[in-house]
Amino acid sequence: MTEHAVVIAGGGPTGLMLAGELALAGVDVAIVERRASQELPGSRAGGLSSRTLEVLDQRGIADQFLAEGQKAQVTAFAPVHLDISDFPTRHPYGLALWQNHIERILAGWVGELPVTIYRGRDVTGFAQSDTGVDVEVSDGQSLRAQYLVGCDGGRSLVRKAAGIEFPGWDPTMSALRAEVEMTEEPETGIRRTPSGMHAIGKVAYEIVNGAVVYKKGGTVGVMLTEAHVGNTNDPTLRDLSDGLIAVYGTDYGIHSPTFISRFTDMTRQAATYRKGRVLLAGDAAHVHSPVGGQGLNTGVQDAVNLGWKLAQVIKRTSPETLLDTYHAERHPIGARVLKNTMAQVALTHRMDERTDALRDAVTELLSMDEPRKRYAAMMSGLGIRYDFGAGHPLLGRRMPDLDLVTANGLLRVFTLLHGARPVLLNFGEPGAFDITPWADRVQSIGAKYEGTWELPAIGAVTAPTAVLIRPDGYVAWVGDQTESGLVDALTTWFGPATTAA
């Protein structure tokens, strides 16, 4: 039996990101992935949010994605585009980049780290005990792990086998999505009919002055809302042809499909993200309509929240109870995504005069500055706040990527997070905060910053004396001339103090 500290079921974006986080922390991690290679049929999900770009920047790999994608104001709530170009971030935009490229780049990063990948295999079952998890693999191999993480999608075997409930809402709409070739040049863009919203676009495109410009010819992406909900058969090219003819009067001579799939607005969330030594992340923990493009981004951010916590528990620097904060922090974020996608489906896919009136009202509301900022912060991920109690506005929020003046010269905050290690930044008197008992875990850096401290949708906030930043980039403690609460924060997040020998 082969042993690993952590086995991850599923090597999509969430599984890859989690493996990378664990490997950075020096944890022996393995991925079991059903695909023989990282190749993904079709392009699938279409971009990265501002906060996900920040997360990748925190690990020093954002430039690889930026080099291949296109920056654009793609943040939206239902039909309303939300400009975030005035947000205080180095990435005041989304990145248009298909999922097949996102996965390829992530896999390249993971490939440079000590991660074992068992390809062409599935996790078929497991048994957990107080000491570990025995994982069964489809080729007959058995793996032994301290923890198993299900990143195996909405139909997650890990979730089902763990007996974790998946409550939520049944679908109210379904749609076909496909990538095909067409002998005729199609009508691109969005069309609304009594049956719902439909869209045709090219896989190859450019963004010019904020507008999508499609190239002639090439692979075509199609999304068709179906007239009826409840089809369970695998969709065919004939189904797609019939749907195109019903909506557009022609199927444009479709042929050579790369993939054809069906999605719905089924909305469900795991009742718990952890059961003993089994955890869930990404679509295994939450499924919802793809409207708003939040699924992949939420999964990647799940992974970054979980990775450092799981590593500290495995290394025994933190108690196992630290893992409970993963559910406590990420479940509310997932729940909010579920609710806002349900609202967006109602605004986007329902075609009647009352919904038209509601859509007009929401559009008018979100054209106002304060609502626009609030919803844009939610949709971009920049507005996430974990509940660490009352305190400074920075507490529980992502740390801004400031240009710091340090003894080692000018340094960005995110550069300090490349190794996924926590940081205490002291902006006050040198040596004012003694964290010697945590020096093996936490970087302590004296810094100066003369600019304004700003947060998305909130604006300017009072400059702190010091901040304690977790490996995921969120502020765990804010100083105000004293050490009050610092020892508690260090102990809570990074384990008990080390006693000198």
Side-chain angles (χ1 to χ4, degrees):
M1 182 180 289
T2 305
E3 295 190 7
H4 299 281
V6 179
V7 169
I8 299 170
T14 302
L16 288 169
M17 193 74 210
L18 179 58
E21 292 290 292
L22 290 166
L24 284 176
V27 170
D28 176 14
V29 56
I31 297 173
V32 179
E33 167 55 38
R34 69 176 54 185
R35 290 173 289 171
S37 72
Q38 203 63 45
E39 290 185 14
L40 185 69
S43 51
R44 305 301 168 106
L48 298 172
S49 69
S50 178
R51 178 55 190 156
T52 302
L53 288 169
E54 286 193 340
V55 164
L56 298 171
D57 205 348
Q58 288 171 188
R59 297 301 177 256
I61 58 175
D63 286 347
Q64 299 175 47
F65 297 86
L66 293 169
E68 296 197 28
Q70 298 189 60
K71 301 175 185 177
Q73 292 301 325
V74 296
T75 306
F77 183 82
V80 185
H81 287 279
L82 303 169
D83 191 335
I84 64 169
S85 59
D86 60 344
F87 274 19
T89 170
R90 291 185 194 273
H91 305 287
Y93 45 76
L95 189 72
L97 183 65
W98 295 117
Q99 182 175 336
N100 53 347
H101 299 303
I102 294 170
E103 288 199 21
R104 172 176 49 78
I105 298 168
L106 275 176
W109 172 59
V110 170
E112 296 173 356
L113 299 170
V115 176
T116 302
I117 303 183
Y118 298 97
R119 292 200 175 275
R121 284 165 269 193
D122 282 317
V123 169
T124 56
F126 61 86
Q128 66 167 314
S129 67
D130 292 340
T131 58
V133 187
D134 293 319
V135 182
E136 300 170 11
V137 182
S138 57
D139 64 353
Q141 184 175 8
S142 294
L143 304 175
R144 175 75 174 174
Q146 293 181 44
Y147 290 90
L148 170 65
V149 185
C151 299
D152 51 342
R155 297 184 178 90
S156 172
L157 178 141
V158 172
R159 184 189 66 240
K160 294 173 183 175
I164 296 174
E165 295 183 1
F166 203 41
W169 296 267
D170 292 333
T172 64
M173 57 78 63
S174 66
L176 299 179
R177 184 162 187 268
E179 288 181 8
V180 295
E181 302 294 323
M182 292 182 173
T183 58
E184 303 170 28
E185 197 66 24
E187 172 194 327
T188 57
I190 295 173
R191 177 179 285 199
R192 300 180 187 276
T193 71
S195 65
M197 185 183 74
H198 320 278
I200 297 178
K202 300 295 184 66
V203 172
Y205 63 88
E206 292 180 326
I207 296 174
V208 181
N209 297 324
V212 176
V213 178
Y214 295 114
K215 299 177 181 179
K216 288 202 169 187
T219 303
V220 179
V222 178
M223 194 282 289
L224 292 172
T225 301
E226 297 184 285
H228 304 287
V229 180
N231 291 324
T232 57
N233 62 297
D234 291 332
T236 65
L237 190 62
R238 178 61 183 271
D239 294 330
L240 191 65
S241 174
D242 290 344
L244 283 166
I245 291 170
V247 174
Y248 295 90
T250 175
D251 68 0
Y252 298 106
I254 57 170
H255 62 93
S256 306
T258 304
F259 79 92
I260 305 173
S261 64
R262 174 178 286 113
F263 70 86
T264 74
D265 66 335
M266 182 175 71
T267 304
R268 297 188 181 278
Q269 185 177 27
T272 179
Y273 283 13
R274 176 192 175 209
K275 190 169 183 179
R277 292 180 173 271
V278 177
L279 300 110
L280 303 175
D283 289 353
H286 39 74
V287 296
H288 49 81
S289 164
V291 64
Q294 299 171 93
L296 183 153
N297 292 282
T298 304
V300 167
Q301 292 175 50
D302 285 345
V304 175
N305 184 284
L306 175 60
W308 64 275
K309 296 174 181 178
L310 189 53
Q312 288 183 182
V313 170
I314 287 169
K315 291 181 167 185
R316 299 184 179 179
T317 56
S318 290
E320 191 177 349
T321 52
L322 181 63
L323 294 178
D324 294 334
T325 69
Y326 170 58
H327 171 91
E329 292 176 6
R330 292 306 296 174
H331 194 276
I333 301 301
R336 190 171 189 186
V337 169
L338 265 60
K339 288 295 182 72
N340 80 51
T341 54
M342 287 195 294
Q344 291 182 81
V345 167
L347 289 167
T348 304
H349 288 276
R350 293 180 187 168
M351 304 298 155
D352 57 64
E353 292 179 351
R354 287 176 172 80
T355 305
D356 289 344
L358 177 60
R359 198 159 35 239
D360 290 344
V362 171
T363 300
E364 181 180 355
L365 176 69
L366 294 182
S367 69
M368 303 174 189
D369 203 42
E370 197 280 334
R372 186 265 304 178
K373 288 181 177 180
R374 180 173 298 190
Y375 270 70
M378 175 180 69
M379 296 302 295
S380 66
L382 295 172
I384 290 172
R385 179 185 180 274
Y386 298 133
D387 186 5
F388 299 163
H392 192 282
L394 280 166
L395 188 64
R397 299 185 187 276
R398 33 72 81 192
M399 176 67 185
D401 185 23
L402 309 177
D403 288 314
L404 305 174
V405 177
T406 74
N408 294 320
L410 197 65
L411 285 174
R412 291 172 51 197
V413 169
F414 286 4
T415 300
L416 299 173
L417 295 172
H418 284 184
R421 289 187 62 205
V423 182
L424 175 69
L425 292 178
N426 175 18
F427 297 97
E429 291 297 320
F433 303 97
D434 181 11
I435 63 166
T436 302
W438 288 271
D440 59 328
R441 284 158 274 170
V442 182
Q443 306 169 75
S444 181
I445 295 175
K448 302 252 180 228
Y449 178 70
E450 302 299 334
T452 302
W453 288 71
E454 288 186 90
L455 293 173
I458 293 175
V461 298
T462 303
T465 303
V467 290
L468 179 63
I469 310 167
R470 305 190 319 185
D472 57 358
Y474 287 84
V475 176
W477 172 84
V478 181
D480 56 356
Q481 307 293 335
T482 72
E483 288 193 26
S484 177
L486 177 58
V487 169
D488 287 344
L490 287 164
T491 303
T492 296
W493 299 114
F494 311 118
T498 300
T499 303

